[in-house]
């Protein structure tokens, strides 16, 4: 429906009114000009008739004494004298037997007047007659016809004057009409802008009150509606924020609590199954807290905890996707997606920061930490047991560094080996000239990129089991071995080819997606790419050039990218919408920040963080999701629930009026190449909805 409205063609009311007024003005003034010219023409014809009649009477009386044979010469001379004045077209005299005695004719028309004007407004001077007597006997009939030349010139000059006056009146009328319509339609533009703003999630009041009473009613109604929406949004957002703080945040530090950690841990473990990202869990203990509380009081202990929380948050600030949690009085945990090399650097940085922060009052040391690479499918309880044992071990043996070597040892690579791997990766990207590839070349065979990327796809469905869109993922590989996404991006950044890597991923996806028709397909835009102006220019130029050859697209962007730079993200979304591409915010709620930022973003879907969906059995989580759903529906945004692992969760989501679902309980994650090979989609584009089977 949205697309139909967008593509609907029409003409603005302003253009229609201007056209109507201009047309009516031309019609009325044109008709008036024509009537004036016609009236003048009839007047001149009457004048020509009167002139001819007077000449006939006057000349007839003058030649009456000369009607004998000898006198006709004098009568003819007198006739010639009058005819030669140029005001007569024809003068003739015929006797009673019809024999023409005198005949003078001048048919030449004036050269001053254009021939088209003469054809359009012809003058037909009548022939006027007068009887001529010889004594008491009628001698004959004198016929006189005036010449229209002078009258044509008069009519032409008058027409030019009337046309000039009419044109001036038309211009004056149009100018006056323009200012009147501008005054009337100006407020209508504001109303239109306000209405468009509502559809784009911008709820702004119209402070300009129009003079027209009917428009005043419309403006007042729109302002009331917008005010009600804003009030409802603010109230429900306050409820959601308050509930989020009560349930998921630590009151002292403002950090997420243990329950939030449990949810995020489960969500990250679920996501890494098809992307093989490295997940690191760091436990930081504050060993001096109990003694500080006893020695200086709980206020000093609180300051100690807040200082440590701020220091840890600042240390992790430059990392990728991460979150800091306070899980007990003296323990802080950090969950992050990291490359192995970044984890080692971070471990060294933590040791350095804790050493600098140490003071004499911290009798047991400022902080101790231990960091582990979480094994796939490892439970949260098992991880915490490992961390507790390791931190006790480090404390006993006075071990400074907390990073524990990866336990899934067989695939572990040294730093040199990773360097060699990504040098090959870099060479592959350069072999395809990704940095300079044209839009047309993207749709050709990019065989080299297929050696380092796999395209995965998972549908998002609605309550009627119809596909809303299919989300795509790029998985990295080399020599048919899957590589962790975080490691790939970290090494690409170290090699200085992160921009080329982002372009390569998009080129690969677009090349694959040309084989899809009708089905809407989502592409994930990374945080780095979203805020990279050079990449954005390339992306929108490329999409604009290829849009007719691609299926309908949708961009998914992470909530953390929006919070990192709101203005940059809003600009990206506006550019995306200008191309007719829809937008989804994913991992919504994972940052536990206020939801008010979505009010002025022109987005179509919100995909809540999977940790909430996994925790739906809890009453407060259900209430929280229900509140978020009401907020989003109130501003025209649809809600998507990811990580739906079974039909019980799906039913719970639908009961909460969630619009769409995604997860292994509904559809598995498919390899795009296997789907294409089975259905020969490279020979003819096909709809993904017809290829996927509902579980």
């Amino acid at each position: 429906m949205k697309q139909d409205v967008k593509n609907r063609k029409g003409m603005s009311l302003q253009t229609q009114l201007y056209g109507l007024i201009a047309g009516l003005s031309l019609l009325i003034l044109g008709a008036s000009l024509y009537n004036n010219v016609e009236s003048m023409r009839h007047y001149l014809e009457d004048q020509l008739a009167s002139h001819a009649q007077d000449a006939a009477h006057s000349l007839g009386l003058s030649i009456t004494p000369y009607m004998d044979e000898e006198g006709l010469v004098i009568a003819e001379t007198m006739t010639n004298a009058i005819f030669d004045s140029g005001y007569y077209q024809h003068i003739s005299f015929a006797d009673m037997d019809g024999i023409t005695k005198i005949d003078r004719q001048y048919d030449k028309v004036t050269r001053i007047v254009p021939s088209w004007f003469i054809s359009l407004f012809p003058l037909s001077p009548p022939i006027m007659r007068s009887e001529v007597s010889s004594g008491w006997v009628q001698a004959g009939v004198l016929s006189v016809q005036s010449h229209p030349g002078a009258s044509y010139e008069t009519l032409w000059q008058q027409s030019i004057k009337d046309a000039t006056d009419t044109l001036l009146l038309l211009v004056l009328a149009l100018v006056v009409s323009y200012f009147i319509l501008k005054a009337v339609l100006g407020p209508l533009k504001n109303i239109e802008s306000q209405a468009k703003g509502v559809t784009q999630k911008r709820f702004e009041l119209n402070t300009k009150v129009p003079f027209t009473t009917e428009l005043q009613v419309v403006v007042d109604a729109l302002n009331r509606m917008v005010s009600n929406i804003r009030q409802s949004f603010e109230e429900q957002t306050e409820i959601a924020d308050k509930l989020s703080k009560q349930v998921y945040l630590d009151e002292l530090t403002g950090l997420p609590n243990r329950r939030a950690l449990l949810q995020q841990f489960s969500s990250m473990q679920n996501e890494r199954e098809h992307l093989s990202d490295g997940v690191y869990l760091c436990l930081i203990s504050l060993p001096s807290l109990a003694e500080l509380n006893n020695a200086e009081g709980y206020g000093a202990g609180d300051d100690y905890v807040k200082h440590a929380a701020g220091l840890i948050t600042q240390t992790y600030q430059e990392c990728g996707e991460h979150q800091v949690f306070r899980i007990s009085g003296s323990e802080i945990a950090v969950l992050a997606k990291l490359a192995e090399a970044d984890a080692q650097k971070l471990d060294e940085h933590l040791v350095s920061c804790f050493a600098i922060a140490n003071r004499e009052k911290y009798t047991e040391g400022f902080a101790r930490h231990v960091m582990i690479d979480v094994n796939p499918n490892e439970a949260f309880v098992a991880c915490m047991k490992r961390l507790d044992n390791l931190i006790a071990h480090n404390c006993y043996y006075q071990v400074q560094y907390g990073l524990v070597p990866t336990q899934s040892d067989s695939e572990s690579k040294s730093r040199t080996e990773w360097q060699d791997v990504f040098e090959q990766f870099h060479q592959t990207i350069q072999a395809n000239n990704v940095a300079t590839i044209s839009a047309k070349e993207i749709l050709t065979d990019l065989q080299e990129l297929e050696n380092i990327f796999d395209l995965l796809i998972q549908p998002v469905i609605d309550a009627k089991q119809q596909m809303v869109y299919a989300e795509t993922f790029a998985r990295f590989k080399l020599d048919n071995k899957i590589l962790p996404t975080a490691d790939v991006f970290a090494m690409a950044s170290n090699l200085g080819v992160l921009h080329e890597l982002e372009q390569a991923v998009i080129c690969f996806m677009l090349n694959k997606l040309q084989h899809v028709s009708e089905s809407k397909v989502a592409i994930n835009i990374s945080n780095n790419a979203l805020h990279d102006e050079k990449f954005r220019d390339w992306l929108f130029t490329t999409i604009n050039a290829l849009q007719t050859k691609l299926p309908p697209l949708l961009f998914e962007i992470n909530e953390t990218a929006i919070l990192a730079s709101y203005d940059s993200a809003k600009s990206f979304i506006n550019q995306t919408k200008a191309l007719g591409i829809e937008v989804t915010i994913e991992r919504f709620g994972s940052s536990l920040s206020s939801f008010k930022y979505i009010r002025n973003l022109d987005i179509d879907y919100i995909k809540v963080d999977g940790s909430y969906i996994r925790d739906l059995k809890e009453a407060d989580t259900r209430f929280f999701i229900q509140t978020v759903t009401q907020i989003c529906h109130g501003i025209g945004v649809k809600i998507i629930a990811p990580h739906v692992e079974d039909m019980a969760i799906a039913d719970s989501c639908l009961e909460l009026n969630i619009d769409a679902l995604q997860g292994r309980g509904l559809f598995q994650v498919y390899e795009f190449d296997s789907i294409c090979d089975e259905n020969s989609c490279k020979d003819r584009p096909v709809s993904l909805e017809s290829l996927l089977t509902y579980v």
Side-chain angles (χ1 to χ4, degrees), residues 286-289 292 299-309 362 365-367:
L286 306 179
S288 301
L289 180 61
L292 194 61
D302 289 346
D303 291 339
Y304 172 32
V305 172
K306 288 191 284 187
H307 176 50
Y362 304 125
F366 181 77

Side-chain angles (χ1 to χ4, degrees), residues 321-575:
E321 188 176 340
H322 74 279
Q323 202 153 17
V324 183
F325 306 83
R326 187 188 182 198
I327 59 176
S328 69
S330 62
E331 290 182 324
I332 294 174
V334 185
L335 186 65
K337 288 183 180 178
L338 293 171
E340 186 177 354
D342 289 338
Q344 292 172 353
K345 290 179 183 177
L346 186 61
D347 181 48
E348 296 170 2
H349 196 186
L350 283 172
V351 171
S352 174
C353 288
F354 292 161
I356 293 172
N358 199 11
R359 299 287 185 275
E360 288 185 7
K361 64 179 180 178
Y362 304 125
T363 56
E364 300 295 326
F366 181 77
R368 296 193 185 97
H369 77 285
V370 64
M371 187 189 307
I372 61 172
D373 182 6
V374 179
N375 295 321
N377 301 319
E378 186 174 9
F380 178 73
V381 174
C383 282
M384 292 307 297
K385 284 181 180 178
R386 269 212 292 156
L387 288 168
D388 288 338
N389 292 333
L390 288 167
I391 208 163
H393 174 273
N394 287 0
C395 179
Y396 181 79
Y397 288 102
Q398 296 296 310
V399 177
Q400 288 186 326
Y401 292 95
L403 180 62
V404 177
T406 304
Q407 291 188 357
S408 53
D409 20 70
S410 59
E411 292 299 324
S412 182
K413 291 182 173 63
S414 68
R415 192 173 297 204
T416 305
E417 288 175 325
W418 272 119
Q419 193 76 17
D420 293 339
V421 166
F422 286 102
E423 280 296 344
Q424 296 178 48
F425 194 84
H426 181 206
Q427 291 170 7
T428 303
I429 292 176
Q430 288 194 327
N432 282 271
N433 297 318
V434 167
T436 57
I437 192 170
S438 68
K440 185 177 180 181
E441 290 171 331
I442 290 175
L443 299 185
T444 60
D445 189 23
L446 298 178
Q447 185 62 42
E448 293 293 329
L449 292 183
E450 297 205 15
N451 295 330
I452 58 175
F453 297 131
D454 277 332
L455 184 64
L456 306 179
I457 193 163
Q458 186 179 37
V460 176
I461 65 167
D462 60 18
K464 297 180 180 178
Q465 301 178 12
Q466 300 296 315
M467 192 167 72
V468 180
Y469 65 84
E471 182 179 3
T472 57
F473 313 90
R475 184 170 64 188
F476 301 93
K477 64 181 181 180
L478 201 63
D479 299 329
N480 292 321
K481 292 181 180 179
I482 297 173
L483 303 176
T485 303
D487 286 351
V488 171
F489 278 98
M491 292 305 297
S493 179
N494 291 338
L495 291 170
V497 293
L498 184 58
H499 181 83
E500 287 80 0
L501 174 63
E502 299 279 7
Q503 284 186 258
V505 172
I506 295 296
C507 289
F508 173 73
M509 285 185 166
L510 297 182
N511 179 272
K512 292 292 185 182
L513 294 180
Q514 67 177 313
H515 304 299
V516 176
S517 67
E518 301 176 7
S519 305
K520 190 182 299 178
V521 180
I523 297 176
N524 285 277
I525 305 297
S526 72
N527 293 15
N528 290 325
L530 183 73
H531 301 301
D532 185 339
E533 189 172 344
K534 182 180 177 183
F535 174 83
R536 284 164 54 168
D537 292 341
W538 172 84
L539 174 66
F540 290 123
T541 301
T542 302
I543 294 293
N544 190 43
L546 298 178
Q547 207 161 13
T548 57
K549 297 179 175 63
L550 296 171
L553 295 180
L554 180 146
F555 287 159
E556 285 200 5
I557 57 180
N558 199 300
E559 180 183 65
T560 56
I562 298 175
L563 297 177
S565 178
Y566 179 82
D567 292 337
S568 175
K570 185 175 182 180
S571 173
F572 177 88
I573 291 172
N574 290 339
Q575 287 180 278

Side-chain angles (χ1 to χ4, degrees), residues 208-233:
K208 297 180 179 179
V209 180
F211 178 77
T212 309
T213 56
E214 290 83 358
L215 292 182
Q216 288 178 8
V217 175
V218 175
V219 169
D220 183 60
L222 277 175
N223 281 342
R224 287 175 181 271
M225 181 190 72
V226 169
S227 296
N228 291 337
I229 293 174
R230 287 172 63 171
Q231 182 179 355
S232 175
F233 180 87

